[in-house]
Amino acid sequence: MIKNIAVLGMQWGDEGKGKIVDLLSKNSNYVVRYQGGNNAGHTLLVDKKKTILHLIPSCVLYKNVKAVLGNGVVVSLPDLVKEINFLKKNKIFIQDRLILSNSISLIFEYHISLDRAREKNKESKIIGTTHKGIGPAYEDKIARRSIRISDLYDTNYFSYILKKNVHYYNFQLVNYFKKNPVSYKKIYFDSLKYFNKIKNMIQDVSKLLNKKIKKKSKIIFEGAQGSLLDIDYGTYPYVSSSNSSIGGIITGTGLGIKNINYIMGISKVYTTRVGNGPFPTELFNDVHKYLCKIGKEFGSTTGRKRRTGWLDLVLLKRMIKINSISGLCLTKLDVLDNLNEIKVCIKYINKFSKKEINFYPITQKDWEEIIPVYKVFKGWKKSIRGIVLFKDLPVLTQKYISFIKNFIKIDIDLISTGPERNNTIFINNKIKTFVNYKN
Ligand code: GDP
Ligand code: IMO
Ligand code: MG
């Protein structure tokens, strides 16, 4: 029986991971974020009430489930406390069931200032980041310059390394980017103020989870971003700065690979992207306007309008392999309801030779030279919103889903037919049993 599930985005983020993690959380024991930071925006909709989470795992609506941030996550203490307080205002009390790894790398004001300064600088490559300081914070980790959460227990040491880092960052901010410096004093006192509010949540997460797994606890690993934003396997350099693919779970929690029983890939039935970078199936026509409007495609973190395009099965197949996905969850099927025709990309050809491309594009030139080839489906032109049984879907919808399944050669275990928790089709008992089984 499945005990532990990883939920991974297969595209450029916003696939609906939050909705699915919330759905799976019922009766689970721990939900763990292991990479990324508050660049994420995960939306839960239950009984018409919307909750958007950025850093705290998407299990908050179930009082018995513990929320964990592993060592691979980067955390801004002021933003973390803000999110805890925001939930408190909404009568969601998380402080007694939120657990923070003792080796989390912190995001400070200088990371955010540098992220912003770079994105405004004409000479930099503009990624279109969320301006949350994610890139610079992960750079510090790799450069062995990070200040980690446990460093704040020792105020003398914290003061010493913070001074060094502020000096280093202010040099860049002022001299290269011509921006204002950040204040060491303000960061020092603010950080300790916020640290005091959360320090009782700090633990050795690796030790805790290894122990709980032995005791057969049910654990969900909640991915942030999507595999196409992965620092190694995504559309580099237009990516985020963490491993949002499967490897992030291992490095970001301190658990071994054998502990993940089922890896769920989440993909919309079309594609969206926020920020810059390659997007072979991107649309600029009325269908784009339709998808934005009906799919409400606006970023939950930055409010930016998302770019939209058709489902890209070439990229999906690649992401399934990279992550060794066990089964797929397709989301936002209802958004396609009123389209006359629906396309899916089944291969790429070279723009000049017209020959099929049989490699994953790496360079900017590779991406520029490909053209997607589509298979076209007739639209079902009927509302499928909220349908919970596969057999109740129109025949044309069933055919569309079956084509995807046969093409990618993997089971589709869940289909989401609306944003509400219960707008979901369980194709078989695999996931249903996981949700309903109590430890
Ligand atoms: P995440 O970052 O992967 O958690 O996804 P987001 O929450 O950023 O974006 C997904 C959006 O789609 C949210 O507004 C969800 O409420 C919504 N959503 C999720 N599943 C469905 C679905 O099946 N149909 C529709 N119409 N909306 C959905
Ligand atoms: P969830 O978890 C969509 C994108 C940004 C930008 C790039 C780098 O909600 O799916 P960063 O601030 O991380 O350095 O930005 O990554 N990005 C996301 N896009 N969903 C997200 O998270 C994202 N997190 C980062 O738009 O293109
Ligand atoms: Mg999102």
Side-chain angles (χ1 to χ4, degrees):
M1 186 165 52
I2 300 169
K3 277 281 182 189
N4 306 314
I5 296 191
V7 175
L8 303 178
M10 295 285 91
Q11 300 168 308
W12 284 287
D14 304 324
E15 298 90 348
K17 299 175 291 289
K19 169 190 158 158
I20 300 301
V21 170
D22 165 71
L23 173 80
L24 300 178
S25 298
K26 184 183 163 202
N27 297 326
S28 71
N29 303 105
Y30 293 88
V31 175
V32 188
R33 277 275 313 265
Y34 50 88
Q35 48 69 232
N38 59 332
N39 47 348
H42 297 175
T43 315
L44 324 183
L45 189 67
V46 180
D47 299 332
K48 298 201 178 113
K49 186 162 169 38
K50 197 186 256 192
T51 309
I52 299 179
L53 298 152
H54 297 288
L55 192 57
I56 298 176
S58 299
C59 57
V60 295
L61 302 182
Y62 289 108
K63 292 194 184 92
N64 51 332
V65 186
K66 293 200 165 72
V68 182
L69 299 184
N71 58 281
V73 174
V74 283
V75 172
S76 146
L77 290 178
D79 287 339
L80 174 63
V81 171
K82 217 189 273 171
E83 197 164 322
I84 296 170
N85 289 339
F86 162 80
L87 290 174
K88 211 187 274 176
K89 267 198 197 128
N90 287 280
K91 304 210 168 10
I92 300 168
F93 303 100
I94 188 76
Q95 57 276 28
D96 295 332
R97 53 190 174 98
L98 180 62
I99 297 165
L100 310 173
S101 157
N102 56 10
S103 46
I104 281 173
S105 288
L106 295 177
I107 302 176
F108 290 97
E109 191 189 327
Y110 46 78
H111 295 125
I112 298 167
S113 297
L114 184 66
D115 194 357
R116 282 216 183 102
R118 279 178 182 159
E119 288 283 306
K120 295 218 162 96
N121 185 296
K122 287 195 188 79
E123 267 140 63
S124 313
K125 201 168 235 134
I126 309 291
I127 305 293
T129 73
T130 57
H131 294 187
K132 301 288 181 191
I134 304 296
Y138 277 114
E139 287 166 33
D140 271 8
K141 186 168 177 172
I142 300 299
R144 295 164 289 188
R145 196 170 44 225
S146 263
I147 299 178
R148 303 199 296 175
I149 201 163
S150 295
D151 292 328
L152 274 65
Y153 284 119
D154 179 347
T155 49
N156 286 334
Y157 181 66
F158 174 49
S159 157
Y160 163 73
I161 43 176
L162 181 66
K163 246 180 218 155
K164 279 204 335 189
N165 279 5
V166 166
H167 182 69
Y168 173 80
Y169 275 95
N170 276 346
F171 184 82
Q172 289 187 61
L173 284 169
V174 174
N175 296 306
Y176 186 77
F177 290 105
K178 314 285 178 228
K179 297 285 173 196
N180 293 330
V182 296
S183 151
Y184 155 79
K185 254 193 176 165
K186 184 173 181 304
I187 299 178
Y188 178 79
F189 288 109
D190 275 359
S191 301
L192 289 178
K193 179 175 89 186
Y194 292 116
F195 177 69
N196 280 326
K197 293 184 193 293
I198 53 88
K199 69 178 177 197
N200 60 339
M201 303 173 186
I202 299 174
Q203 278 197 43
D204 181 340
V205 162
S206 169
K207 190 172 164 191
L208 170 83
L209 294 180
N210 274 293
K211 195 167 90 191
K212 294 295 173 186
I213 276 192
K214 263 198 176 154
K215 292 195 167 158
K216 309 259 181 279
S217 289
K218 281 173 80 182
I219 301 178
I220 295 167
F221 301 97
E222 176 178 6
Q225 290 76 58
S227 296
L228 289 168
L229 287 172
D230 181 278
I231 187 78
D232 283 284
Y233 301 109
T235 46
Y236 192 89
Y238 298 97
V239 291
S240 192
S241 297
S242 67
N243 279 119
S244 41
S245 63
I246 190 73
I249 301 182
I250 311 307
T251 54
T253 62
L255 273 175
I257 197 152
K258 286 187 227 143
N259 295 308
I260 308 165
N261 308 140
Y262 178 97
I263 305 163
M264 179 183 285
I266 313 248
S267 171
K268 285 179 189 174
V269 287
Y270 53 97
T271 311
T272 62
R273 171 161 209 172
V274 208
N276 299 325
F279 188 167
T281 61
E282 184 165 12
L283 291 162
F284 300 95
N285 55 9
D286 285 349
V287 180
H288 163 67
K289 286 187 197 141
Y290 169 93
L291 292 173
C292 274
K293 187 167 168 227
I294 308 298
K296 299 201 172 82
E297 295 300 350
F298 296 90
S300 17
T301 299
T302 57
R304 287 178 291 174
K305 201 172 185 178
R306 293 172 182 151
R307 297 159 68 192
T308 70
W310 296 115
L311 178 62
D312 187 331
L313 294 180
V314 177
L315 292 181
L316 183 57
K317 247 183 162 172
R318 164 98 178 171
M319 294 305 120
I320 286 171
K321 275 215 183 97
I322 281 166
N323 292 295
S324 72
I325 294 298
S326 321
L328 211 61
C329 164
L330 292 179
T331 60
K332 302 195 94 160
L333 186 61
D334 56 301
V335 176
L336 304 183
D337 279 353
N338 286 314
L339 289 173
N340 291 325
E341 58 177 32
I342 297 160
K343 297 184 184 178
V344 290
C345 167
I346 49 167
K347 64 179 174 184
Y348 295 154
I349 54 169
N350 181 282
K351 181 151 93 175
F352 304 108
S353 70
K354 306 282 187 270
K355 285 204 178 117
E356 186 173 349
I357 308 275
N358 56 7
F359 60 90
Y360 179 65
I362 294 293
T363 65
Q364 186 79 19
K365 188 165 164 280
D366 292 342
W367 286 108
E368 280 165 7
E369 288 189 354
I370 59 172
I371 319 182
V373 176
Y374 294 106
K375 177 165 172 68
V376 184
F377 292 83
K378 198 165 173 261
W380 45 89
K381 307 279 278 177
K382 213 173 168 184
S383 171
I384 60 117
R385 172 68 77 102
I387 284 184
V388 295
L389 294 174
F390 189 78
K391 70 172 178 54
D392 291 344
L393 290 174
V395 175
L396 287 174
T397 323
Q398 293 190 19
K399 273 194 180 154
Y400 172 74
I401 300 287
S402 301
F403 175 82
I404 296 173
K405 182 184 158 182
N406 293 334
F407 189 92
I408 56 176
K409 296 190 180 69
I410 195 166
D411 281 350
I412 293 167
D413 288 330
L414 277 187
I415 297 175
S416 176
T417 56
E420 284 271 351
R421 186 191 277 164
N422 55 5
N423 297 156
T424 310
I425 303 175
F426 291 87
I427 303 287
N428 49 49
N429 276 336
K430 235 183 282 177
I431 306 301
K432 208 175 195 169
T433 314
F434 175 85
V435 174
N436 291 325
Y437 175 78
K438 268 194 191 153
N439 225 8

